[in-house]
Amino acid sequence: MRRTVPTPTRKPRRPKGQGQWAMGHREPLNKNEQSKKDDNPLNVRQRIEGIYSVRGFDSIDPADLRGRFRWWGLYTQRKPGIAGGKTGILEEEELDDKYFMMRVRMDGGQLNLAQLRTVADISKDFGRDTADVTDRQNVQYHWIRVEDVPEIWRRLEAVGLDTQEACGDCPRVVLGSPVAGVSKDEVIDPTEQIQAIHDRFVGDRSLSNLPRKFKSSIGWLPDNPYETNDISLIGAEHPEHGPGFDIWVGGGLSTNPMFAQRLGVWVAQEDIEEVWVNVVRIFRDWGYRRLRTRARLKFLVKDWGAEKFREVLESEAYLGRKLPDLDAPPVPEKLLDHIGIHEQTDGNYYIGVAPVVGRVSGTLLGQLADVAEKYGSDRVRTTALQKLLLLDVPADRVEDAVADLEAIGLSARPSQWRRATMACTGIQFCKLAIVDTKDRARDLVAELEKRVPELDVPISIHVNGCPNACARTQTADIGLKGQLVTVDGEQVEGFQVHLGGGHAAAASLGRKSRGLKVASAELGDYVERLTRRYLSARSEGETFAQ
Ligand code: SF4
C-alpha cells in the first residue's frame, strides 16, 4: 500500500515589519537607526565644541562624523580628484576630505543686512570664499574645518541664524515665499508661523529622530515646488471660511519620484503650527524605518492614500478634531521665480536677480550687502530656484539699483538660459556625485546664450550629479541625471535625460527613455538641437513641456 506523505504545513508568513514605532518596532533595524538610538544626534554639538574642534579632524568618532554631524548642518566633503562613480566601490573614509560642507538654514529665505554680512564674512574667513544659494533657500559653504565650527556658530547665532537640523533625519529648513509680506498677490503672510515652527520645533528632541529628512514649504504663492515636499501649505480661499491654506503631503523626488497628495482640508493661518507638528508626529510614529530607501513620508502616503492619512491626522492621537473640507482650488498657472523688477504693496520695489546656478561667494554676498545698504534696504531673500531678491528699493532708484547689481554680476534681466538653469553640488564637493554639475551648468548657460540667444521663454534645465535629484531632475523641462555613459567604448561623464517635467499647471514628472543619454561634452549640441526643434514647431503660446 502506498503511503501518503503528509504535506508539510507551512506556517503563514508574518508580513515583515517596516520598523514603524507605532507598531511597536522600537529595535533599530539598520545602522542609521542604531546610531540615532545610541545617542541623540543633537548631542554631538557638545563634542564638536569641547573635543573635536580642539583635537582636530582625526579625533572625530566615525559615528559622529558620518551620522550625527548632519544634525548640525555638517557633511564631510568629497576628497578632490576622486573620479565619479566611486561611491559603493571605495570605503566612505576614502572619499572623505578633512573639510566640511556646512549648510546655514534660512527658514523662509529671509535675511537682514547684518545676517547677510555675517554670512558673507564667514565664507571669506573660513570657507575659502565659497557660498552656494541652494534650492532649499539655504546658503552652503565648503572647506570648513572642524576647528572653526564653534566660532562660525557663535557668529551666526549672534545675528539669529543657525545650522541646527539643516541636514539629518529631522525637520529641515521650512521653505517660504521669498516675497512674503511684500507681494501684491499675497493674501496671507505666514512668516510668523514659519518663525514659530523654527523657534518651537527645531531642536525639539521629540522630533529629532524621524525616519528620514522632512521637507516643508509654507506660503501663499506658488513660488516653491509645493508638489515635491513632505508637507506643503499653499494659499487657498475657502467659500465659507475665507483665506487659509490647502495642505499637500508625501511629495519627494530622488529615485522614486512622487508628487504630494492633497488632503482636501482647509487650514486656518492660526492652525498652521499645530497641523504641521502633527504631520511630523505621524511621520515619526508611522514612517518606515527598516529600509532607508523606503523611509521618506511619500512611501507611507502612497500606501495609505490621502483619505487614511487625513483620518489619522484628525484622530485623537494627533489633532483630535476635524478640519473643514476644501475642494481643489484652481491650479496655479506656473511656478513664480520673481526675477526682474516688481512693485511691492508699500510702493517700493523688489528686484530678483539670477546668480548662475546659485553659485555666489562671500565676496559677492558682501557686495550685495553694500548695494542693499546704498538703497536703504535691510532685506534680502533667497529662493528655492537658487536666486536672490533685494527688497524695499524706492521707486525712483530702481534702475540705479539694477545697474549696481548688474555691475557685481547679479542680473535682473538675465537670459532665459541663466534664469531657468539650476544645478546641485555635484562632484566638486559631494561624495555621492558621479559627474560635475556646477561648472558644467555654468558653461552650458554661457554656450547656450551664444548659440540660441533668441530664446524668449524659459526652458528649465536642472543639472544633477547623481540619481538623488537634489536639483529636482524630474520637474524640469530638461532634467539631467548624472551618470557615466559610453562613448566609443570609453566611459565618460554624461547624463540621462528626463524631458517634459514641470510644476503647477504643468506639473508632471519628466519622461525618460532608456536611450536618452548624452555625454557631458555634447550637452550644448543636444540642448541646442532640442530648443531649435521646439522654436520652429511651437504654436502660439505653446510651452516646451507641451
Ligand atoms: Fe550630491 Fe547627487 Fe544630491 Fe547632486 S543630486 S548634490 S550629486 S547627492
Side-chain angles (χ1 to χ4, degrees), residues 228 405 426 500:
T228 58
L405 289 165

Side-chain angles (χ1 to χ4, degrees), residues 424-426 430 432-433 464-466 468-470:
C424 77
T425 302
C430 177
L432 301 178
N464 293 266
C466 80
N468 283 322
C470 295

Side-chain angles (χ1 to χ4, degrees), residues 56-326:
F57 186 90
D58 293 334
S59 70
I60 304 171
D61 177 338
D64 285 342
L65 183 68
R66 301 195 185 90
R68 303 182 192 105
F69 265 50
R70 295 175 189 183
W71 273 250
W72 287 96
L74 292 157
Y75 277 90
T76 45
Q77 65 187 39
R78 186 188 190 93
K79 201 179 270 181
I82 296 183
K86 297 292 183 191
T87 310
I89 299 171
L90 294 179
E91 292 297 325
E92 206 174 343
E93 55 265 31
E94 295 176 86
L95 287 162
D96 275 338
D97 204 350
K98 292 192 175 185
Y99 297 91
F100 292 88
M101 177 279 282
M102 178 187 256
R103 200 174 282 160
V104 183
R105 64 183 295 154
M106 293 165 184
D107 296 77
Q110 305 201 5
L111 284 172
N112 61 33
L113 206 49
Q115 290 171 331
L116 180 61
R117 286 208 186 281
T118 301
V119 169
D121 290 345
I122 289 171
S123 161
K124 287 182 274 183
D125 294 346
F126 304 111
R128 302 191 189 177
D129 210 15
T130 56
D132 290 333
V133 178
T134 75
D135 58 12
R136 303 295 302 174
Q137 294 184 294
N138 299 305
V139 164
Q140 193 166 295
Y141 300 124
H142 299 282
W143 299 111
I144 299 296
R145 300 180 329 140
V146 71
E147 289 85 344
D148 298 324
V149 170
E151 172 61 12
I152 295 172
W153 283 336
R154 192 194 63 71
R155 292 196 196 178
L156 288 173
E157 287 163 9
V159 292
L161 291 172
D162 61 80
T163 67
Q164 189 168 207
E165 298 189 341
C167 314
D169 300 347
C170 47
R172 306 276 188 93
V173 66
V174 179
L175 299 185
S177 169
V179 295
V182 302
S183 168
K184 290 174 136 187
D185 298 319
E186 182 186 65
V187 177
I188 298 179
D189 170 10
T191 299
E192 207 180 293
Q193 284 70 36
I194 292 175
Q195 190 60 44
I197 286 172
H198 174 271
D199 295 349
R200 285 182 58 197
F201 301 119
V202 174
D204 176 337
R205 283 162 186 259
S206 74
L207 303 177
S208 63
N209 179 356
L210 303 179
R212 280 212 64 185
K213 60 186 161 190
F214 185 84
K215 295 182 172 181
S216 310
S217 162
I218 302 172
W220 182 269
L221 294 171
D223 48 12
N224 281 314
Y226 60 91
E227 304 95 336
T228 58
N229 294 300
D230 294 285
I231 182 172
S232 288
L233 288 141
I234 179 163
E237 294 277 352
H238 191 283
E240 208 180 305
H241 302 288
F245 291 85
D246 185 27
I247 175 170
W248 299 57
V249 297
L253 294 176
S254 196
T255 44
N256 270 297
M258 295 178 209
F259 277 150
Q261 299 186 33
R262 289 187 61 246
L263 291 188
V265 297
W266 178 87
V267 179
Q269 182 178 13
E270 59 272 22
D271 292 340
I272 288 176
E273 284 161 68
E274 193 191 4
V275 170
W276 180 89
V277 74
N278 278 296
V279 171
V280 181
R281 289 176 60 229
I282 292 174
F283 180 43
R284 177 196 62 194
D285 301 345
W286 290 96
Y288 304 151
R289 292 174 185 259
R290 174 179 288 278
L291 298 172
R292 295 287 287 172
T293 48
R294 278 182 52 80
R296 288 289 300 276
L297 180 63
K298 62 186 175 181
F299 294 99
L300 181 68
V301 172
K302 179 171 177 259
D303 290 350
W304 278 5
E307 205 176 314
K308 177 168 176 188
F309 196 96
R310 176 182 175 176
E311 259 171 45
V312 176
L313 175 64
E314 293 175 336
S315 69
E316 274 311 308
Y318 297 98
L319 267 182
R321 66 189 162 88
K322 294 268 179 220
L323 293 165
D325 290 337
L326 180 69

Side-chain angles (χ1 to χ4, degrees), residues 417 440 443-444 447-448 451-452 461 478 518-533:
W417 297 113
R440 186 67 200 95
D443 294 348
L444 180 65
E447 220 176 313
L448 292 169
R451 287 175 178 227
V452 199
I461 303 177
I478 303 173
V518 57
S520 212
E522 307 298 322
L523 213 46
D525 290 345
Y526 175 73
V527 178
E528 181 183 354
R529 262 199 321 274
L530 269 185
T531 308
R532 294 215 175 278
R533 215 179 301 154

